[in-house]
Amino acid sequence: MKASHLSAVAVAQSRQSERRIARSALVGAGLVAIYTAMISGADGITKLIAGGYAAPQLFALSSALVILVALAEGRRRGESLRLRRGRGEMALRSLFTVLAAIGYFQAFRLLPFADVFLFIGLVPLIAAAMSGPVLDEPLRPAAWTALAFGAGGILFLLPEGRLALDPGHLWALFGTVTGTASMVLARRIARMERVPLAQVFWPNLALMLTMGLALPFVWQPMALMDLVWVAGYALLLFGARYVSAEALRLLPAYVATPLMNLQFVWMVLIGWFAFGELPGMGTVLGVAMVVGSGFWLVADEALPSRRLARA
């Protein structure tokens, strides 16, 4: 009787644990969806502002607002923004953040909204290529195949069948490479020290100072509504980064990363309703190749034999 009772308790605890894991997975998936909506909204504001103002004006103002939010949040949590280790890595991360912001600003100014996502979709693949030299994570042959397949998706964006990229595509590729380098360095810093607010604060401080140098030469008076858009951009950007951290806490990275490709759906909807842009068949095929290669990479990483090898 006693053994039977203990067995029933164990079964009940197991079911309760399974329900808790399921709830965490659902909440994590919901947070990923919120993240993709927020970051796509921020990108939409970038495209909107890019038509009337120079990049330094948008980034200097929005970075100042993000810094204020980070300082307030750090004070509320009692969390320091100082780094004990990884200062050189943080300096490089800040530099790449500035370069990525410039690249994406120019890309959104020159390209249809959904076209930029093809390059954003390459982020996980480029990160895999960078993870070997930067994070000492060797890349497997299957991963190289996935990278080549995803890179082939760019060919569907070549204008009028020419074997050359327009300036907007080159800017998007530049922004993706430098932005991915910033993300990979963020992972390296996180291994040394857990400072999530500092990871937001210092790159945005570098962006504000860099863009502030050019601000007197490009400043244009802003209407109240445009200032509201800039404030909205800053809040969406800060919120997206915070939500993504919570999502990755609840979901394994190999589950969260493919879900983030939902961003393409949001970008198509925003491009359609806000800018009257519909993606062509080439864009859809290119995105399918990039997203498919990402799932290929994830599936290979998630194989039971891979998990056993890592264990």
Side-chain angles (χ1 to χ4, degrees):
M1 178 72 98
K2 186 175 180 181
S4 176
H5 175 71
L6 291 175
S7 176
V9 170
V11 170
Q13 290 177 342
S14 175
R15 289 177 177 174
Q16 184 179 5
S17 176
E18 289 176 1
R19 286 194 295 268
R20 185 168 60 251
I21 293 171
R23 283 196 299 269
S24 295
L26 288 174
V27 172
L31 289 175
V32 171
I34 292 171
Y35 161 79
T36 58
M38 295 177 79
I39 199 68
S40 297
D43 290 340
I45 294 174
T46 299
K47 184 171 178 62
L48 180 68
I49 296 295
Y53 302 97
Q57 188 158 341
L58 170 64
F59 293 128
L61 294 177
S62 61
S63 296
L65 291 174
V66 171
I67 287 169
L68 290 175
V69 174
L71 287 172
E73 189 67 11
R75 184 174 298 133
R76 186 182 69 83
R77 297 183 185 181
E79 184 176 329
S80 174
L81 298 175
R82 295 181 179 179
L83 290 171
R84 292 189 297 271
R85 290 179 294 173
R87 294 180 179 178
E89 286 84 353
M90 183 61 80
L92 276 177
R93 168 167 156 73
S94 300
L95 171 63
F96 285 129
T97 299
V98 172
L99 296 176
I102 295 172
Y104 279 132
F105 183 91
Q106 295 295 334
F108 281 121
R109 186 174 65 86
L110 297 171
L111 291 179
F113 202 56
D115 282 14
V116 181
F117 175 80
L118 181 64
F119 296 90
I120 295 175
L122 285 172
V123 167
L125 305 176
I126 297 174
M130 292 181 176
S131 62
V134 178
L135 300 172
D136 294 325
E137 297 173 354
L139 203 63
R140 302 180 305 278
W144 282 117
T145 306
L147 284 168
F149 186 75
I154 295 179
L155 297 176
F156 285 94
L157 277 186
L158 295 178
E160 300 177 1
R162 292 182 288 111
L163 293 178
L165 294 173
D166 280 346
H169 299 117
L170 294 175
W171 278 116
L173 182 60
F174 176 76
T176 298
V177 172
T178 52
T180 304
S182 175
M183 293 172 62
V184 171
L185 285 168
R187 291 177 60 189
R188 182 179 177 90
I189 294 166
R191 288 180 174 182
M192 302 177 186
E193 190 175 359
R194 187 180 178 184
V195 282
L197 282 177
Q199 295 255 37
V200 175
F201 176 81
W202 293 108
N204 277 280
L205 179 62
L207 190 59
M208 184 189 71
L209 294 176
T210 304
M211 298 299 172
L213 293 175
L215 191 58
F217 304 101
V218 299
W219 174 265
Q220 297 181 33
M222 300 187 74
L224 178 60
M225 195 61 216
D226 289 340
L227 289 172
V228 171
W229 282 120
V230 172
Y233 170 85
L235 292 175
L236 284 171
L237 192 62
F238 183 87
R241 289 172 178 170
Y242 181 84
V243 167
S244 66
E246 283 297 296
L248 290 170
R249 181 178 65 85
L250 295 170
L251 283 177
Y254 66 84
V255 176
T257 304
L259 290 175
M260 289 181 180
N261 286 321
L262 178 63
Q263 184 178 353
F264 175 66
V265 178
W266 295 116
M267 294 182 79
V268 169
L269 292 174
I270 292 173
W272 184 10
F273 288 107
F275 304 105
E277 300 170 349
L278 280 176
M281 184 56 66
T283 299
V284 173
L285 289 174
V287 168
M289 289 182 67
V290 171
V291 173
S293 62
F295 274 104
W296 181 358
L297 193 60
V298 169
D300 179 70
E301 181 68 20
L303 285 173
S305 59
R306 300 295 185 195
R307 294 199 300 269
L308 182 61
R310 287 197 301 273

